[in-house]
Amino acid sequence: MQRFFLLLICMKHALIVGLGLAGLTYAEQLNRKGLSFHIIDSGSGGSSQIAAGIYNPTVLKRFSLSWNGEVFHSYALPFYKKLEERLSTDFIHPAPIHKIFNKDAEHNLWSSAADKKSLAPFLDPKIYSNREDEVNGNSGYGIVKHTGRVATDVLLKSFKDSLHKDDLSLEVFDYDKLDTTSTGIKYKSIKAKHIVFCQGYQMVNNPLFNKLPLVGSKGEILIIKAPNLKTKVILKGPIFIAPIGDDFYWAGATFERKDKTLVCTKAGKTWLEERILKMISSEFEVIEHITQIRPTVQDRRPLIGTHPNLPNVHLFNGLGSRGVLGAPLMSKWLFDYIEGRSDLPEEVNLRRFESYLRQSL
Ligand SMILES: Cc1cc2nc3c(=O)[nH]c(=O)nc-3n(C[C@H](O)[C@H](O)[C@H](O)COP(=O)(O)OP(=O)(O)OC[C@H]3O[C@@H](n4cnc5c(N)ncnc54)[C@H](O)[C@@H]3O)c2cc1C
């Protein structure tokens, strides 16, 4: 009887592998329901660690709304606000985006986009002329509203610090040590009802899911110091330049599909520097050059759901290049699905690639 009781105490509701935005938002869903979890993370960082964390429900290349942009936006902001309060840490930094126009011909496109019902809450219809000495561009700019930055590095650190030491293991997950049954899973000494893999691009090494078409897109970024720039808004030209405090700015990013190494390249740095020079006239110094791989999917939709043959093994991946806005609501979708409360939207359900998964069995 006593042994049974102890076993129940040690049984977690879920084991989560990976503490990036996917793992964090899923753990927070459990936390809000009072359910227990254990997280395993390699500690070597991922895409969330270096992201600018910009939340922007529009696509500024096409002057359109991003997939589910408004729905994700309206769930994500209150979600992060509540988390900010729970963790007593500021990590949401609202800031408009100034879309610097390339040519005057873009003005009409902007005005008609701002006229659309779906985009009107986000795009200010006015065309502004550039008055800031340090920002280049003769064709002016447009303002995107209700945007900003979630300082993902700060969020991750503060979430990690808030965990009880028994709820987090810093190690690389060993797939050979995983046992699955019809009622739960066992990994080393940890027993749980479910396991949720939230590994970002490193999913390519997971034998249970590595047949899924996670293509990955490498992004290199620069952290620069530009004391004269003094802007508090996010600048969008050929790249984003976002203020991150004091005189430092996040500048990026490259988008590369072939090279999947975590090596910063000279070509990437040069490409970024050229674009920074195009956007600002103030002097800057490169402080850091970093890279990571975005978990992008062949059909540009996330990979969420349950392994077809293993009912307690789940996946939360494919957040692509817009994880900040999408992760909170998608973590709820996955939670509701696992708990049998509702089905997943078909376009994110990994069932669409079931034939790929069966190849690995
Ligand atoms: C340069 C760049 C800029 C970006 N800018 C933005 C932006 O401004 N706005 C936005 O919304 N999105 C942005 N993104 C995208 C965003 O980073 C991703 O959508 C999101 O962070 C992915 O989160 P994730 O949790 O799925 O993966 P990750 O953040 O990669 O987290 C995965 C975690 O799992 C761990 N892990 C993996 N395998 C194992 C294992 N076997 N054992 C233990 N741990 C493991 C890793 O160490 C990591 O901590 C950017 C991405 C890049 C690369």
Side-chain angles (χ1 to χ4, degrees):
M1 180 67 185
Q2 204 185 4
R3 268 192 72 206
F4 177 67
F5 186 61
L6 275 174
L7 195 71
L8 274 183
I9 287 180
C10 296
M11 179 93 163
K12 298 282 180 187
H13 192 75
L15 173 62
I16 297 171
V17 181
L19 184 57
L21 278 173
L24 181 150
T25 51
Y26 195 78
E28 183 59 13
Q29 294 292 353
L30 294 173
N31 184 52
R32 288 181 189 183
K33 293 283 182 294
L35 295 169
S36 60
F37 57 84
H38 187 95
I39 301 178
I40 294 179
D41 187 78
S42 68
S44 55
S47 179
S48 312
Q49 198 69 46
I50 77 152
I54 294 168
Y55 56 90
N56 163 31
T58 70
V59 183
L60 291 172
K61 231 189 246 170
R62 277 176 255 136
F63 299 156
S64 60
L65 207 60
S66 61
W67 171 69
N68 269 339
E70 197 176 0
V71 181
F72 286 157
H73 188 274
S74 58
Y75 185 87
L77 272 293
F79 177 92
Y80 288 124
K81 193 80 213 142
K82 199 168 164 187
L83 194 49
E84 251 191 348
E85 282 159 18
R86 182 171 81 72
L87 300 174
S88 306
T89 312
D90 293 337
F91 53 80
I92 310 173
H93 303 288
I97 297 175
H98 286 192
K99 159 68 186 151
I100 304 164
F101 296 121
N102 243 338
K103 41 187 187 280
D104 292 357
E106 286 184 329
H107 296 172
N108 278 346
L109 295 172
W110 180 267
S111 304
S112 51
D115 234 16
K116 289 186 188 150
K117 203 174 161 222
S118 58
L119 283 163
F122 301 108
L123 299 190
D124 179 341
K126 205 173 150 193
I127 308 293
Y128 292 83
S129 53
N130 204 352
R131 293 209 186 85
E132 283 186 63
D133 290 346
E134 304 294 329
V135 180
N136 299 329
N138 297 325
S139 295
Y141 62 91
I143 296 181
V144 192
K145 301 177 286 181
H146 309 302
T147 53
R149 220 171 57 79
V150 166
T152 47
D153 52 345
V154 176
L155 165 61
L156 284 167
K157 181 177 182 311
S158 126
F159 191 89
K160 204 185 261 182
D161 291 348
S162 76
L163 295 172
H164 189 276
K165 68 174 173 36
D166 295 337
D167 293 339
L168 175 69
S169 307
L170 288 179
E171 63 178 64
V172 174
F173 186 82
D174 182 351
Y175 303 98
D176 292 336
K177 301 261 164 32
L178 175 67
D179 286 328
T180 59
T181 67
S182 57
T183 53
I185 66 101
K186 184 169 179 291
Y187 177 76
K188 296 185 180 174
S189 62
I190 303 163
K191 287 185 174 152
K193 273 179 90 172
H194 304 281
I195 183 165
V196 186
F197 286 104
C198 304
Q199 299 172 275
Y201 183 68
Q202 294 313 317
M203 187 199 87
V204 295
N205 299 316
N206 182 335
L208 295 169
F209 291 107
N210 63 5
K211 291 288 187 291
L212 290 169
L214 187 75
V215 283
S217 319
K218 179 172 175 176
E220 295 185 45
I221 68 127
L222 299 178
I223 302 296
I224 59 168
K225 189 171 184 188
N228 296 328
L229 186 53
K230 304 279 179 228
T231 186
K232 296 213 176 337
V233 307
I234 300 169
L235 301 172
K236 170 72 174 102
I239 57 169
F240 280 101
I241 299 181
I244 55 171
D246 299 325
D247 294 326
F248 295 99
Y249 296 84
W250 184 104
T254 64
F255 203 94
E256 163 62 49
R257 285 222 176 85
K258 280 192 191 133
D259 172 13
K260 302 288 166 55
T261 65
L262 287 176
V263 176
C264 293
T265 65
K266 194 163 181 296
K269 184 166 182 251
T270 308
W271 188 91
L272 290 165
E273 283 172 336
E274 282 168 5
R275 275 143 192 88
I276 297 169
L277 284 169
K278 211 173 157 194
M279 287 174 66
I280 61 172
S281 54
S282 33
E283 284 187 0
F284 67 90
E285 180 193 348
V286 175
I287 305 296
E288 229 181 321
H289 179 193
I290 339 173
T291 186
Q292 270 297 342
I293 302 173
R294 305 169 183 88
T296 48
V297 182
Q298 195 183 66
D299 68 356
R300 294 157 163 241
R301 291 292 174 264
L303 293 167
I304 307 179
T306 301
H307 195 285
N309 284 25
L310 304 167
N312 303 308
V313 178
H314 315 281
L315 185 71
F316 185 15
N317 209 309
L319 291 178
S321 48
R322 287 175 178 261
V324 172
L325 268 191
L329 184 57
M330 286 192 270
S331 62
K332 183 174 183 317
W333 288 350
L334 179 60
F335 176 78
D336 287 347
Y337 175 67
I338 292 176
E339 302 303 324
R341 295 172 177 203
S342 56
D343 210 347
L344 280 170
E346 273 310 307
E347 54 195 331
V348 304
N349 196 328
L350 57 82
R351 226 167 16 204
R352 70 194 189 279
F353 295 118
E354 203 165 305
S355 60
Y356 289 57
L357 279 180
R358 293 203 185 279
Q359 288 169 30
S360 60
L361 298 172

